[in-house]
Amino acid sequence: MTQPMIALTGVTRRYDEGPPALHDISLTIAEGESVAVVGPSGSGKSTLLNLIAGLDRPDAGEVTVAGTRVERLGEAAAARFRRDHVGLVFQFFNLLDDLTVLDNVLLPAQLAGASGRGTRERAAGLLDSLGIAKHTAAYPGRLSGGERQRVAVARALINRPSLLLADEPTGALDTAAGQDVRDLLNDLHASGQTIVLVTHDPRLAQACATRTVSMRDGLIEAIR
Ligand code: ADP
Ligand code: MG
C-alpha cells in the first residue's frame, strides 16, 4: 500500500476553555483524493485544517503529511514545509494589495528561491488557465471577489504543492463566483491534485469532493 498523503492519528486539540476543539480524531486521506470537511460553525473544521498545514499543533496525536511528522516541526521548519508541500486558500483571499496579481502569485516561488523565467511562465500559465490572464498586471483591489479567489488559488499552486488546503473558499463569494471556484476545484481534482476543502456548505462538498467528512463538536460524526 502506498503511503497516504495525510494521516491523523488520535489527534486532540484543546484551547484554554471549553471542551476540546478536536477530540481524538483519526483520518487518512490518499494522494489524489478530494475531501470535503463539513459541519456547523465551531465544530473544529478550521482547527483540523490548521493542524494539517502545521499552522497549529495538537495536544496529543500524530499528524503526518506527505511523509512528514508535521506536529514535530518547529515554526521555521513548518513554514518551509508549507512553502514546499502545501497550497493554502482562505475565505478572504489574503492577497497583498500593493503587489500586482502576477507578483502575488510569484511570491511563494520567490520565497522558495525560484524567480527565473520558467517560474514566471508557470505563473502566467496558471493565470491563463484560471481565466484571469488579462488581470496579470492589475492590483487585487481592482478585482472582483471571484477573481481575487482565483488569484489566491494560482498563488497556492505556484510551487506545485502535494496538497491544496482550502478553508471556506467560497464563503465570501456571491453565487456565480462561488460556482466558478467550485468548477475550478473540480478541475484541479480531475487533474490529480489532492485537496482538502473545509466548508459549511454541503452543496460545495457535493460538487467537489469524493468523500465528505462531517464534523460536530470536535468529533468526526460521519464519513461518506
Ligand atoms: P469551525 O472552523 O468548524 O467553525 P474552529 O476549528 O474554528 O471551528 O473552532 C472549533 C472550536 O475551537 C470552537 O469552539 C472555537 O470557539 C474554538 N477555537 C478556535 N480557535 C480558537 C482559539 N484561537 N482560541 C480559543 N478557542 C478557539
Ligand atoms: Mg472555520
Side-chain angles (χ1 to χ4, degrees), residues 124-140:
L126 280 167
L127 290 169
D128 191 31
S129 70
L130 299 183
I132 43 175
K134 66 173 184 242
H135 298 303
T136 298
Y139 289 86

Side-chain angles (χ1 to χ4, degrees), residues 15 21 40-47:
Y15 294 106
S41 181
S43 57
K45 306 182 299 295
S46 292
T47 300

